Amino acid sequence: MNKNLLAAFLAAGCAVGALCPVAAHAQTEQRDYDIAAQPLGDALREYSDMSGRQIIFATDLVKGRRSTSVRGRMSSDRALSRLLTGSGLQPELVDGALVLRVGNGAVPANDGSTEASEDSAIIVTGTRIRGAGPTGSPVLTLDRSDIEKSGTGSVQQLLQALPQSFGGGPNETTLGATTRNGSGTDGTFASSINLRGLGPSSTLVLIDGARPALGGLGGVFADLSLIPLSAIERIEVLTDGASAIYGADAVAGVVNIRLRNSFEGAETSVRIGTADGDMGERQFGQIFGTRWNGGQVTMAYQFSERDALAAADRRFATEDLRPFGGPDYRSLFAVPGTITAANGQTFAIPSGQDGTALTPADLTAGTRNRGDRRAASDLLPRQRVHSLYLAGELDLTSSLTLRTSILAAQRDYRKVALNQYLSAARVPVTNPFYIDPIGTNQPVTVNYNFANDLGAPIDTGRVRGISAAAGLEQAFGRWRVQLGGAYGRQKSRSDSINIPNRARLTAALADTNPATAFNIFGNGTANNPATISKAGRRHCAPTGRCCGCRGAISGSRSAPSIAASAISISRSTI
């Protein structure tokens, strides 16, 4: 902004907060401020009287906007930053006067919230320069009002609705369906953000500027499902490559999740929903925050639970697409199964019988029984998430500030899986239920689905994650230097239940005792429970563990990027 623009402001009838000259030391001098939350125009005039600084702004620019409360002893720069938090406005110094303008990623006028995020008025994702947005790089901002109006119940739902977000990649809908675009790197029904389809490992996720612990197989993406939506102040999405600032994992863009670190008061949220009565959703959130002279603390808790969505409740969720004009993709493994004789000829086993009195005459030659694995599974797993967030800030001296935060979460899931552990079983002539359709007295092969005997295959597991960060900020006049560090750890475990134990199944099929032998020629209702217990197994495996510590010394941001340890100092533009 130049003198001509300043003159245009004045000619348009701009409100002038104070006409007194600004002392050279006014920007760094520590003062006591006590400004209540009120209409922004009134708050700016009160701030101008207290600080002695001249502020120029258009009345239409502040109309309908409210300020946050500012209390305590601090510099005038810091007081103004807190006052403008959440307004979407930025101050720019023009010929010794501060002129307000719409900032990068500006948000609409708020509705009276008293929340604040330290220095949010002058810090923008995608640049290390205070008071300026990233040149040529668009930053999309979703503030608290946008989040509440979206109607979504989780971070992944909110971000996946963005046009720049690719639906593929690791998330709870792709696991088990495809391995493309990194979907195979997930084993616990986590959720990632995949900007422009370049893969989740190319999209950097930050929490208040710090990298959280990564999830998935080998730790390749940030699990968004562990972040409580009720604790988020805003989300900044840099939809362009930012590898020059953040590193190679930001080629597709950056998602910076800003939490409600300066919330004041108490807020309770309850969410109950359903999808056509087939899938229920329940959510409870509680956040507390308080501020005192020289410090503040915020604590938030959220519990979310969503039922599984069965494929049987959706007509389109089937492997038989013939009713829709498509082909039949049903599996060749079914209940009852299909016998393949020694000469390769197939015989379908009839339904409605348990295999104890089956004869060759009952079989249907030249046909196969088919089974719909998809219709017997869940489209979405049952998810249950507990999240706890705690943040604090303490002014150790008039120019030295300590900030700490910790996010801990646990997610449990359960899903009826798409049965992928299917293979033909060889039945020897010693099996008491053995049938040879062509009379060769040789072993036969049966394509059989063991779901009726062992139960539906179940994927279940638990994910636990913790991310902690701490930092010191020292102000030297208009310069700031920060020292910070972060620690993160995420551990996951996945259990697959009701999987056939091939070694024990082979022994049960060769058993000559009718009371303990496995009968594979019926509908899965005639087998001894003890035999079934031996033939099934539970596969347990830790699917991922990620742990790391990072640190940085920076003067550019209140939550410094930690792509690499470095020393950098920047100068504020206000």
Side-chain angles (χ1 to χ4, degrees):
M1 186 176 294
N2 52 30
K3 292 182 179 180
N4 293 333
L5 183 56
L6 177 60
F9 262 100
L10 295 174
C14 299
V16 179
L19 299 178
C20 58
V22 183
H25 64 282
Q27 302 171 21
T28 59
E29 181 182 2
Q30 300 290 317
R31 298 174 182 268
D32 291 322
Y33 291 89
D34 188 4
I35 304 175
Q38 57 187 300
L40 183 57
D42 296 338
L44 289 171
R45 295 182 183 93
E46 188 173 342
Y47 165 81
S48 180
D49 293 338
M50 290 183 177
S51 64
R53 306 184 74 179
Q54 186 181 33
I55 304 179
I56 300 174
F57 54 89
T59 53
D60 291 342
L61 191 62
V62 299
K63 185 178 180 180
R65 303 177 188 266
R66 291 184 62 85
S67 71
T68 60
S69 61
V70 178
R71 294 184 176 89
R73 186 172 181 82
M74 64 192 75
S75 66
S76 60
D77 279 351
R78 187 170 186 180
L80 181 58
S81 174
R82 288 186 175 181
L83 198 68
L84 296 177
T85 294
S87 69
L89 304 180
Q90 284 185 332
E92 184 171 320
L93 191 62
V94 179
D95 291 342
L98 289 172
V99 180
L100 292 189
R101 63 177 178 83
V102 177
N104 182 283
V107 297
N110 59 41
D111 56 0
S113 171
T114 58
E115 302 164 33
S117 180
E118 181 63 27
D119 294 342
S120 62
I122 60 173
I123 295 181
V124 180
T125 298
T127 178
R128 297 187 184 278
I129 303 175
R130 291 179 179 271
T135 303
S137 298
V139 176
L140 174 65
T141 301
L142 302 173
D143 69 348
R144 189 66 208 169
S145 177
D146 296 328
I147 295 173
E148 293 173 351
K149 292 177 182 178
S150 69
T152 57
S154 62
V155 180
Q156 58 268 33
Q157 289 178 357
L158 180 66
L159 292 178
Q160 287 170 1
L162 297 177
Q164 296 85 356
S165 177
F166 178 64
N171 61 69
E172 58 184 358
T173 62
T174 59
L175 179 58
T178 180
T179 59
R180 296 181 178 180
N181 215 270
S183 298
T185 61
D186 179 26
T188 61
F189 298 96
S191 294
S192 66
I193 175 70
N194 184 1
L195 292 178
R196 306 189 184 282
L198 297 181
S201 59
S202 298
T203 301
L204 176 61
V205 176
L206 304 174
I207 300 179
D208 282 333
R211 299 169 185 257
L214 300 180
L217 302 175
V220 294
F221 64 89
D223 188 355
L224 301 176
S225 64
L226 301 179
I227 304 174
L229 189 66
S230 60
I232 296 177
E233 170 66 19
R234 70 182 186 277
I235 300 178
E236 301 166 351
V237 182
L238 180 62
T239 58
D240 201 358
S243 57
I245 295 177
Y246 295 104
D249 52 353
V251 172
V254 181
V255 177
N256 193 6
I257 300 174
R258 298 284 188 179
L259 301 179
R260 303 166 83 174
N261 296 326
S262 299
F263 177 85
E264 290 185 72
E267 179 182 289
T268 302
S269 60
V270 178
R271 173 188 173 91
I272 300 176
T274 181
D276 297 333
D278 302 321
M279 180 184 69
E281 182 181 23
R282 297 156 294 279
Q283 187 178 94
F284 169 80
Q286 181 66 59
I287 182 171
F288 298 98
T290 185
R291 180 192 296 271
W292 64 92
N293 188 14
Q296 63 188 42
V297 65
T298 303
M299 182 177 69
Y301 168 77
Q302 180 175 294
F303 168 75
S304 302
E305 183 179 39
R306 190 201 61 207
D307 300 330
L309 177 61
D313 294 329
R314 296 294 183 266
R315 181 170 175 262
F316 60 83
T318 176
E319 293 177 330
D320 187 0
L321 302 180
R322 290 176 297 174
F324 307 99
D328 185 0
Y329 290 113
R330 288 180 299 166
S331 170
L332 298 179
F333 295 84
V335 181
T338 300
I339 299 175
T340 302
N343 64 352
Q345 187 177 3
T346 59
F347 296 84
I349 301 175
S351 59
Q353 51 84 34
D354 61 7
T356 57
L358 187 65
T359 65
D362 298 325
L363 305 177
T364 303
T367 61
R368 295 175 181 268
N369 288 326
R370 290 178 175 267
D372 193 339
R373 300 178 304 157
R374 177 67 64 185
S377 66
D378 286 337
L379 293 177
L380 292 174
R382 185 188 71 188
Q383 298 266 23
R384 181 178 297 170
V385 185
H386 295 270
S387 301
L388 178 65
Y389 178 69
L390 181 65
E393 177 180 314
L394 181 64
D395 292 334
L396 302 179
T397 66
S398 60
S399 60
L400 181 62
T401 302
L402 170 66
R403 296 186 181 92
T404 61
S405 64
I406 183 170
L407 172 63
Q410 174 178 299
R411 177 170 58 85
D412 297 281
Y413 66 88
R414 184 183 186 277
K415 180 184 181 182
V416 178
L418 187 68
N419 200 335
Q420 302 181 33
Y421 300 94
L422 299 175
S423 61
R426 185 175 182 273
V427 184
V429 296
T430 57
N431 187 289
F433 308 103
Y434 166 83
I435 291 179
D436 184 1
I438 59 177
T440 60
N441 201 32
Q442 296 184 27
V444 296
T445 300
V446 181
N447 288 5
Y448 183 76
N449 190 325
F450 295 88
N452 284 5
D453 301 273
L454 306 179
I458 302 294
D459 286 339
T460 182
R462 169 173 292 178
V463 179
R464 287 177 174 173
I466 184 171
S467 296
L472 291 170
E473 179 181 299
Q474 177 67 56
F476 296 99
R478 296 174 63 184
W479 299 82
R480 299 182 186 181
V481 176
Q482 297 144 341
L483 170 65
Y487 169 84
R489 179 184 179 92
Q490 183 168 319
K491 182 179 180 180
S492 57
R493 177 185 176 92
S494 176
D495 297 345
S496 297
I497 307 173
N498 299 333
I499 302 173
N501 187 315
R502 289 296 167 181
R504 294 179 178 179
L505 178 63
T506 300
L509 289 173
D511 193 349
T512 58
N513 186 352
T516 56
F518 195 94
N519 183 353
I520 202 172
F521 297 97
N523 55 10
T525 61
N527 283 303
N528 189 323
T531 303
I532 295 176
S533 179
K534 291 181 180 180
R537 67 187 176 98
R538 174 180 182 140
H539 175 70
C540 308
T543 58
R545 178 179 296 179
C546 181
C547 177
C549 301
R550 301 181 180 91
I553 300 176
S554 174
S556 58
R557 306 179 66 87
S558 60
S561 169
I562 46 180
S565 296
I567 297 178
S568 61
I569 300 176
S570 69
R571 191 173 184 224
S572 171
T573 61
I574 65 171

